[in-house]
């Protein structure tokens, strides 16, 4: 089952006015020009709802005080002060994703300056594979046995009313800090600090779990008679990790905290950081990042922190990884470098996660191929073998590919008394559809649920799965409309050329960072480009074991380019790149290891016959022949020094792969496009096409192109027999023989001295 093609929403035709460009330039000191940046901001209407200067430059932003979170903040601060004064035992209850883990680490470090760690302060994180989000009786029993009298949650607890009542019965009081959906009734906590209680436009309204935990520390530190040894900002690097890794809109204080947190994070890779975190430094080194980019978190640290619970279930050691100093009381390094070992475990977990995710995505899409998508608006799929830890990741991939909310469930085995088991899983939504509201409307079918409007978890009896699927399908059809095929969309921000790619454009667009919900990474459209020097490779983990995850690297060219620009396409093979001219959507990226490069987001062949389109790079050799013939000049045939990278057998395999791609996508192609892509002469290409036809491919020239075009411009359509045959060596050998001779000639004329031609 292939993903639906993305619909490209092109940039607005109107350019940003000069006055707006000047306003942006004044807010971004040090930039030589701000035309590109101003155009993106103009299109996105950023700067119209909040002051532009503070949005772009954190030094000009006025942060909102913790007291703005309401009376609950004052109650929580007072109760913590009481616990500190009376030497109570305090427990932090966290969550197992990156936001929850960093929130736990922030409170562990922040409260740990006021309450002795281990003796009177502890933390608890549920096991992702055996437990769910939120409080549990088992965990509360454990904390009560330890002697806790006060529990402070972070990134969880807003809907845990029944568990908080149980905690009270055990003698535990609970402060809830969270950012998930608010309960409809009082849950019994002594304080519930949740930014969802604020108006949507409030600068604190979109705080994530780690940011709410930080605000609690801010309120507590402000109430102290004397400051603790380390200032509040020593945890800002952890705040940035949780904020950027979570699904929250980075605006207001969210954006401000992420910006200043990134500045703190990058000090971890520099000599003598002011507040060293060796575990963070090791993680950044393993993912080859320096900590100065939001993508260092979203594609580096975040996935590695999340992978620990996805693979192992227990994420508790991640708190130690993020907070341990690897130093003794005299500041000397401890033997064994414990944090290096923990970072290595997180790295291995992430590589295993990648392999499992790719395999599960293939399984799910195979199941989707059996579903009637014309009548199914919400996908609900379940299996007894699917790994729980990565269901949310794959559900997100499927939802994005098919434009439908997707719920993936793991079916647990039946209980000992023979009753059906439970199904636990994750859901991901599409724009305009609130998952939490959907689940709330069907709560009678569920044993538990929670999360964001776009991402949620749920548990339900197995016998309710089909009923839930039917109910959700009906509700989604009613909310989004039942007519028409949903189609994923991509909003393009700028149209550029290959020559525009590089440092100046990157530095302008970097002012948009950190990007996320409501402020995505800028998407760039390049038209009439082609790919060269493409190759794919299977990734390997730190133990040099291959994992089932690949990426293709390439150079991007257009007619104005003096050099190809490097790029990468994750999760795709090189034969999935179309031959000839293409239109592409990319993101411009940079890191210290690979330099400036683009990430390919979507690609489609440039339509033959479009204005300005032609089948490939200009044929300067043919132009030279014609000129020499007209002038009656002597002509010598020569080739560049480039030597063929592929053997004839490898070229045949690439031709087969290209044919499969063209057949699967029903993309028309000209003979010259195939020749340019594979460096084939008309003779060898004809023999290659003939060999393909013996392997189950049907190659049909367009009748119109036959009548009006030269043979090399024939537009071919390729079909593929679903039950293919293997061509005999005799059928392929003529192609291999001719290609071997052509490659020999190219090598010979590339190396022969010019004097030998006189």
């Amino acid at each position: 089952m292939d993903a639906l093609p993305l619909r490209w929403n092109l940039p607005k035709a109107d350019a940003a006015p000069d006055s707006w460009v000047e306003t942006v330039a004044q807010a971004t000191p040090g930039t030589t020009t701000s035309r590109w940046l101003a155009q993106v901001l103009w299109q996105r209407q950023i700067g119209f709802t909040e002051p532009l200067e503070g949005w772009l430059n954190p030094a000009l932003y006025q942060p909102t005080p913790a007291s703005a979170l309401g009376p609950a903040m004052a109650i929580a601060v007072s109760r913590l002060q009481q616990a500190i004064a009376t030497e109570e035992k305090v427990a932090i209850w966290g969550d197992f994703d990156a936001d929850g883990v960093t929130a736990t680490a922030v409170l562990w470090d922040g409260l740990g300056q006021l309450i002795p760690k281990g003796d009177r302060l502890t933390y608890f994180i549920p096991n992702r594979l055996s437990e769910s989000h939120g409080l549990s009786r088992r965990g509360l029993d454990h904390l009560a046995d330890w002697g806790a009298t006060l529990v402070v949650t972070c990134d969880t607890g807003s809907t845990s009313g029944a568990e908080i009542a149980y905690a009270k019965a055990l003698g535990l009081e609970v402060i809830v800090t969270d950012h998930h959906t608010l309960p409809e009734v009082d849950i019994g906590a002594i304080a519930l600090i949740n930014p969802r209680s604020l108006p949507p436009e409030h600068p604190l309204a979109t705080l994530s779990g780690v940011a709410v935990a930080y605000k609690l520390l801010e309120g507590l530190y402000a109430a102290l008679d004397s400051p603790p040894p380390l200032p509040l900002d020593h945890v800002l690097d952890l705040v940035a990790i949780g904020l950027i890794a979570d699904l929250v809109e980075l605006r207001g204080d969210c954006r401000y905290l992420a910006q200043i947190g990134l500045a703190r994070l990058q000090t971890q890779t520099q000599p003598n950081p002011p507040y060293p975190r060796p575990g963070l430094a090791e993680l950044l080194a393993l993912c080859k990042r320096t900590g100065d980019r939001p993508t260092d978190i979203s594609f580096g640290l975040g996935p590695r922190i999340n992978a620990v619970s996805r693979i192992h279930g227990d994420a508790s050691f991640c708190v130690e990884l993020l907070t341990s100093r690897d130093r003794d009381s005299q500041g000397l390094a401890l033997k064994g470098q414990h944090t290096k070992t923990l970072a290595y475990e997180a790295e291995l977990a992430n590589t295993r996660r990648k392999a499992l995710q790719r395999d599960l995505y293939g399984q799910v899409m195979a199941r989707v191929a059996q579903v009637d998508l014309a009548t199914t608006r919400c996908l609900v799929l379940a299996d007894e073998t699917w790994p729980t830890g990565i269901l949310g990741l794959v559900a997100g991939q499927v939802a994005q590919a098919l434009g439908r909310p997707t719920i993936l469930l793991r079916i647990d085995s039946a209980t000992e008394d023979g009753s059906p088991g439970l199904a636990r899983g994750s859901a991901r939504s599409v724009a305009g559809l609130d998952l939490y509201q959907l689940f709330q409307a069907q709560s009678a079918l569920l044993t538990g649920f929670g999360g964001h409007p776009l991402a949620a978890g749920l548990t339900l009896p197995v016998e309710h799965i089909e009923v839930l699927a039917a109910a959700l399908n009906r509700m989604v059809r009613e909310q989004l409309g039942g007519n028409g095929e949903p189609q994923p969309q991509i909003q393009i921000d700028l149209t550029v050329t290959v020559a525009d790619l590089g440092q100046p454009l990157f530095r302008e667009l970097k002012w948009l960072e950190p990007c996320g919900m409501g402020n995505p990474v800028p998407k760039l459209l390049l038209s009439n480009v082609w790919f060269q020097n493409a190759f794919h490779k299977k990734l390997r983990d730190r133990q040099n074991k291959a994992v089932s995850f690949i990426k293709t690297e390439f150079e991007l060219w257009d007619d104005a380019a003096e050099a190809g620009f490097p790029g990468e396409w994750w999760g795709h093979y090189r034969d999935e790149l179309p031959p000839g001219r293409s239109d592409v959507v990319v993101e411009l990226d940079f890191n210290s290891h690979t330099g400036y490069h683009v990430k390919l987001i979507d690609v489609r062949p440039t339509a033959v016959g479009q204005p300005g389109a032609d089948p490939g790079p200009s044929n300067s050799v043919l132009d030279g022949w014609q000129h020499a013939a007209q002038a009656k000049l002597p002509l010598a045939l020569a080739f560049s020094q480039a030597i063929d990278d592929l053997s004839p057998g490898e070229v045949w395999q690439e031709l087969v792969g290209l044919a499969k791609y063209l057949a699967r996508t029903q993309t028309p192609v000209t003979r010259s496009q195939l020749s340019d892509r594979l460096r084939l002469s008309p003779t060898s290409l004809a023999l290659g096409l003939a060999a393909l036809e013996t392997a189950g491919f049907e190659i049909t020239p367009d009748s119109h192109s036959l009548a009006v075009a030269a043979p090399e411009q024939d537009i071919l359509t390729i079909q593929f027999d679903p039950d293919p045959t293997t061509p005999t060596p005799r059928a392929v050998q003529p192609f291999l023989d001719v290609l071997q001779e052509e490659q020999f000639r190219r090598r010979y004329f590339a190396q022969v001295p010019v004097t030998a031609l006189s």
Side-chain angles (χ1 to χ4, degrees):
M1 175 70 201
D2 290 324
L4 290 177
L6 291 168
R7 188 175 78 192
W8 293 1
N9 295 328
L10 298 178
K12 297 177 182 178
D14 61 316
D18 291 340
S19 59
W20 178 253
V21 176
E22 180 60 27
T23 299
V24 173
Q26 292 176 357
T28 53
T31 55
T32 56
T33 177
S34 300
R35 176 67 65 178
W36 283 313
L37 173 62
Q39 186 64 32
V40 175
L41 293 170
W42 180 258
Q43 291 189 145
R44 295 183 177 183
Q45 299 291 295
I46 291 175
F48 295 89
T49 56
E50 56 183 305
L52 178 66
E53 294 80 4
W55 192 90
L56 287 170
N57 190 344
L60 302 177
Y61 183 82
Q62 183 62 46
T64 310
S67 59
L69 284 164
M73 176 62 72
I75 295 171
V77 167
S78 176
R79 182 64 183 87
L80 282 169
Q81 287 182 295
Q82 176 187 334
I84 295 168
T86 57
E87 298 186 352
E88 295 180 59
K89 287 191 171 183
V90 179
I92 303 163
W93 188 296
D95 198 28
F96 41 68
D97 64 9
D99 189 24
V101 166
T102 53
T104 307
V106 162
L107 291 182
W108 180 245
D109 257 10
L111 294 178
Q113 295 198 83
L114 309 171
I115 306 172
K117 292 180 178 179
D119 294 332
R120 289 173 35 219
L121 184 67
T122 190
Y123 62 85
F124 179 88
I125 296 177
N127 187 300
R128 182 193 286 264
L129 301 183
S130 60
E131 300 174 279
S132 60
H133 299 273
L135 300 173
S136 69
R137 293 194 172 198
R138 183 190 74 84
L140 292 169
D141 286 338
H142 169 74
L143 296 179
D145 291 343
W146 177 73
T149 54
L150 177 63
V151 176
V152 182
T153 78
C154 47
D155 194 38
T156 191
S158 287
T159 57
S160 298
E163 289 77 14
I164 291 174
Y166 182 76
K168 283 184 177 180
L170 296 175
L172 298 171
E173 291 188 300
V174 180
I175 295 172
V176 172
T177 74
D178 194 10
H179 71 122
H180 294 96
T181 303
L182 286 168
E184 295 183 348
V185 297
D186 182 11
I187 59 174
I190 61 174
L192 170 58
I193 305 173
N194 189 319
R196 286 181 180 259
S197 62
L198 301 170
E201 67 277 5
H202 195 281
L204 298 182
T206 61
L207 295 181
S208 75
V210 69
V212 179
Y214 174 84
K215 283 294 182 182
L216 175 61
L217 283 185
E218 179 185 308
L220 176 61
Y221 281 22
L224 296 175
D225 294 331
S226 58
L230 296 178
L232 179 64
D233 64 2
H234 86 280
V235 296
L236 281 173
D237 44 9
L238 302 178
V239 175
I241 295 171
L243 270 170
I244 293 173
D246 205 49
L247 293 173
V248 295
E249 186 177 354
L250 296 177
R251 61 175 177 82
D253 277 56
C254 255
R255 179 173 172 84
Y256 167 73
L257 290 172
Q259 287 171 316
I260 61 176
L262 279 168
R264 174 71 67 205
L265 177 62
Q266 62 182 301
T267 65
Q268 297 298 338
T269 59
Q270 298 170 359
N272 302 316
Y275 309 111
R277 298 187 186 278
L280 265 184
E282 289 293 341
L283 273 182
L284 287 166
L286 287 170
C287 59
K288 299 180 179 179
R289 307 277 179 168
T290 55
D292 63 328
R293 300 286 315 288
T295 49
D296 294 355
I297 295 171
S298 53
F299 295 106
L301 298 176
R304 283 159 176 78
I305 295 171
N306 278 321
V308 173
S309 62
R310 295 187 191 281
I311 300 302
H312 301 300
D314 185 5
S316 297
F317 85 70
C318 287
V319 177
E320 184 178 1
L321 170 63
L322 296 174
T323 59
S324 174
R325 307 293 184 190
D326 263 358
R327 297 287 188 273
D328 61 17
S329 57
Q330 284 76 42
L332 300 175
L334 297 174
K335 293 182 179 180
Q337 295 181 287
H338 184 49
T339 53
K340 183 173 242 179
T341 302
L342 297 179
Y344 186 78
E345 287 298 318
E347 175 70 17
L348 290 180
N350 191 51
T351 54
R352 294 293 168 240
R353 185 271 305 169
K354 290 179 182 178
L356 288 172
Q357 183 178 343
R358 179 175 176 82
D359 179 62
L360 180 57
Y361 181 73
Q363 293 181 45
V364 171
M365 293 304 275
R367 290 274 295 274
V368 171
Q370 304 170 20
V371 175
D372 181 6
L373 293 179
T375 59
T376 304
R377 302 303 302 273
C378 179
L379 288 165
V380 181
L381 301 174
D383 193 277
E384 294 181 353
T385 63
W386 288 347
T388 307
I390 59 171
L391 290 179
L393 295 174
V394 176
Q397 287 181 282
V398 176
Q400 182 179 24
L402 301 179
R404 290 168 171 78
T406 300
I407 302 167
L408 301 182
L409 301 165
R410 160 71 178 254
I411 299 175
D412 293 333
S413 57
T415 59
E416 294 181 359
D417 61 5
S419 60
L422 292 176
R424 295 194 301 119
S426 296
R428 295 294 183 269
S429 192
V430 295
L433 192 69
D434 189 326
L435 279 176
Y436 192 88
Q437 291 182 356
L438 292 180
F439 291 159
Q440 197 169 41
Q442 302 299 325
S443 59
L445 298 174
L446 307 174
T447 57
F449 66 95
H452 303 279
L454 293 177
L458 69 161
T459 308
L460 72 160
V462 173
E463 63 267 26
H464 290 176
I465 293 177
E466 291 187 10
V467 180
L468 177 68
L472 293 179
N473 197 46
R474 182 187 67 255
M475 293 179 66
V476 172
R477 186 182 295 108
E478 292 171 353
Q479 291 190 32
L480 298 184
N483 298 323
E485 182 75 4
Q487 187 177 24
Q489 301 180 14
I490 181 170
Q491 181 62 53
I492 296 169
D493 294 285
L494 293 171
T495 299
V496 298
T497 67
V498 172
D500 292 329
L501 302 174
Q503 185 185 78
L505 176 59
F506 176 82
R507 284 188 171 178
E508 274 198 42
L509 298 182
K510 195 174 187 295
W511 284 96
L512 296 168
E513 295 181 351
C515 295
M517 290 182 63
N519 177 42
V521 177
K523 303 297 188 295
L524 312 177
L525 171 65
L526 295 95
S527 299
N528 234 356
V529 300
W530 65 90
F531 302 94
Q532 288 188 10
N533 301 324
F535 65 93
H536 59 250
K537 58 184 179 182
K538 186 171 289 189
L539 302 186
R540 293 183 172 272
D541 64 20
R542 289 282 163 174
Q543 296 177 336
N544 204 34
K545 295 179 180 178
V547 296
S548 299
F549 204 83
I550 51 91
K551 75 170 179 176
T552 289
E553 297 182 13
F554 55 83
E555 287 182 356
L556 199 62
W557 289 76
D558 64 12
D559 289 319
E562 296 181 358
F565 196 82
E568 58 189 26
W569 198 15
W570 285 86
H572 293 269
Y573 293 90
R574 69 175 179 184
D575 59 12
E576 295 182 67
L577 292 171
R581 302 276 178 144
S582 298
D583 300 332
V584 300
V585 178
V586 302
E587 295 174 355
L588 181 60
D589 199 12
F590 170 82
N591 66 61
S592 59
H593 292 271
T594 60
Y596 294 98
H597 59 281
V598 293
K599 294 181 178 180
L600 184 58
I601 304 302
D602 198 21
V603 56
R604 59 184 59 166
T606 299
V608 177
Q610 268 190 351
D614 71 52
S618 59
N619 195 338
S620 57
V621 174
L622 180 59
D623 293 341
W625 286 348
Q626 291 174 338
H627 175 71
Q630 292 170 358
K632 297 183 179 180
L633 297 174
L635 180 68
L637 179 65
F639 292 89
S640 68
Q641 189 62 34
I643 303 299
D644 299 283
D645 294 323
L646 303 179
S647 68
E650 290 172 327
V651 175
W652 164 250
Q653 293 299 325
E654 185 161 1
L655 176 59
V656 172
L658 273 173
K660 289 181 178 179
Y661 167 81
L662 296 169
R664 185 177 73 249
T665 60
Q666 283 299 282
T667 302
V669 65
T670 66
R671 291 177 182 269
S672 64
Q673 287 175 324
L674 289 173
S675 295
D676 290 337
R677 172 67 180 268
L678 298 172
R679 302 186 70 192
L680 299 176
S681 71
T683 300
S684 58
L685 176 62
L687 290 171
L689 295 178
L692 284 176
E693 290 181 320
T694 68
F697 292 91
E698 181 180 343
I699 303 171
T700 307
D702 180 84
S703 58
H704 178 70
S705 72
L706 286 173
V708 300
E712 66 273 9
Q713 298 305 315
D714 286 353
I715 302 173
L716 307 178
T717 301
I718 300 178
Q719 304 286 340
F720 187 49
D721 189 335
D723 187 20
T725 59
T726 302
T728 64
R730 183 176 180 181
V732 181
Q733 196 60 47
F735 168 74
L736 301 178
D737 291 342
V738 169
L739 182 56
Q740 185 174 22
E741 177 64 21
E742 289 177 358
Q743 291 182 347
F744 169 77
R745 291 180 181 178
R746 281 200 291 269
R747 285 191 293 268
Y748 174 78
F749 284 109
Q751 299 170 10
V752 64
V754 176
T755 54
L757 303 177
S758 59

